[in-house]
Amino acid sequence: MAYKKILTIQDISCVGQCSLTVALPILSACGMETCILPSAVLSTHTAGFSGFTFRDLTDDMPAIQAHWKKENIKFKAIYTGYLGSIKQVGYVRDILKTMGTDDCVRIVDPAMADNGQLYSIFNQDYVEAMKVLCGEADILVPNITEACFLTDEEYKETYDEGYICNLVEKLKALGAKTVVLTGVSYEVGTTGVVVYENGKMEYYKHDKIAKGSHGTGDIYASAFVGALMNDKSVYESAKIAADYTVKCIINTQGDADHWYGAKFETALGDLIKMLA
């Protein structure tokens, strides 16, 4: 496998095991030269902590990009996660268009919603901006809630394959070439991932851990990108990322003091073995 330079764009939550503090170590463990563009710095993530600090880095993003252009820096893959504003989405669209190699893979995780609700910071204007960004992705990695907002479909907790197929068709209509839809559960006790690529739809089912953890979407997306850049197929990457994420959640069970994230570090060895 070639040594690949990739870029991930999302915030830094200094404590909390999410966003860049997840993406950087996971992608590095997968053998990538991992470059970062932080969109903001927070003392902790926002789910369950109070009084956290927040430093917006939006205005730094164009200057960083300009310096990279001057140095002729290009990336084999660009992976975006949580973006805090419409202005940031606009900057990231330009980075996707200009900072990749000729064969760059552009992966967008539209991290903006879960459990049927948008994150409190976002509104419909942000959703509309994210629709445009998602349409410019080579691979789109939403959960079902995000897929519903992106397609203007009703969010349902109980559904059939027809409902999921409709979501995927409408996500394709945005412009994304490949869709990896996470959190798809057709029966109690299991969940899984639907992968659409080149006109073919596949489903990977795995156990659903009753007590989840914060940050597992970031863990999943990062492991998916790491596997993909190790020349795994999209479906293989989706499967590896799912198995790794489940292992991270299992390793966190029973520790009442570790409520704020998943112990992804304890399973990095398992991820590396999966890639071998």
Side-chain angles (χ1 to χ4, degrees):
M1 184 197 74
Y3 184 55
K4 299 172 183 176
K5 186 196 303 287
I6 69 175
L7 170 67
T8 181
I9 309 172
Q10 45 194 308
D11 69 280
I12 299 174
S13 292
C14 299
V15 172
Q17 293 173 307
C18 66
S19 54
L20 281 180
T21 56
V22 163
L24 178 56
I26 289 177
L27 292 168
S28 298
C30 291
M32 309 294 107
E33 178 186 353
T34 308
C35 307
I36 65 170
L37 179 53
S39 57
V41 178
L42 296 84
S43 54
T44 66
H45 66 58
T46 60
F49 292 105
S50 59
F52 51 85
T53 67
F54 176 85
R55 174 78 63 178
D56 186 358
L57 300 180
T58 302
D59 292 340
D60 294 277
M61 296 171 75
I64 292 171
Q65 181 187 2
H67 184 223
W68 288 343
K69 285 183 176 179
K70 181 181 176 182
E71 297 295 331
N72 196 33
I73 294 170
K74 296 282 186 175
F75 303 101
K76 187 77 171 180
I78 302 174
Y79 150 45
T80 74
Y82 182 92
L83 303 173
S85 67
I86 292 173
K87 192 174 183 180
Q88 286 187 0
V89 172
Y91 288 151
V92 169
R93 286 184 61 204
D94 189 63
I95 289 169
L96 290 183
K97 292 174 183 175
T98 62
M99 300 307 301
T101 59
D102 290 341
D103 57 350
C104 177
V105 182
R106 296 161 177 85
I107 305 106
V108 173
D109 173 9
M112 62 179 180
D114 205 359
N115 298 315
Q117 299 291 327
L118 277 178
Y119 297 155
S120 59
I121 190 176
F122 297 137
N123 58 24
Q124 188 60 37
D125 290 338
Y126 182 89
V127 173
E128 296 303 318
M130 185 55 71
K131 287 180 183 179
V132 178
L133 178 65
C134 290
E136 295 168 353
D138 294 311
I139 303 175
L140 182 59
V141 190
N143 61 35
I144 289 182
T145 300
E146 290 156 351
C148 289
F149 278 104
L150 290 169
T151 60
D152 301 312
E153 286 293 314
E154 178 187 0
Y155 172 77
K156 296 181 179 180
E157 294 186 356
T158 303
Y159 45 78
D160 56 16
E161 291 187 32
Y163 174 79
I164 296 300
C165 288
N166 180 58
L167 283 180
V168 171
E169 288 293 332
K170 291 195 171 183
L171 290 169
K172 286 165 45 190
L174 291 175
K177 301 176 182 65
T178 299
V179 176
V180 178
L181 182 61
T182 64
V184 179
S185 178
Y186 294 125
E187 58 188 53
V188 176
T190 68
T191 187
V193 187
V194 167
V195 176
Y196 173 86
E197 184 183 24
N198 297 326
K200 181 181 179 182
M201 193 175 299
E202 297 180 273
Y203 179 59
Y204 178 64
K205 181 175 73 172
H206 58 83
D207 290 339
K208 183 176 182 179
I209 311 301
K211 182 175 173 54
S213 303
H214 293 299
T216 50
D218 298 335
I219 291 170
Y220 181 89
S222 300
F224 171 81
V225 174
L228 190 72
M229 291 297 101
N230 271 273
D231 301 321
K232 304 297 183 184
S233 70
V234 173
Y235 180 78
E236 287 176 317
S237 300
K239 180 180 181 297
I240 288 169
D243 290 343
Y244 172 63
T245 303
V246 169
K247 180 64 174 175
C248 295
I249 297 172
I250 289 172
N251 288 1
T252 313
Q253 300 294 292
D255 187 346
D257 292 330
H258 203 93
W259 54 268
Y260 50 83
K263 297 179 180 179
F264 73 92
E265 303 93 340
T266 65
L268 282 173
D270 298 277
L271 176 59
I272 293 168
K273 290 177 183 176
M274 293 175 196
L275 297 175

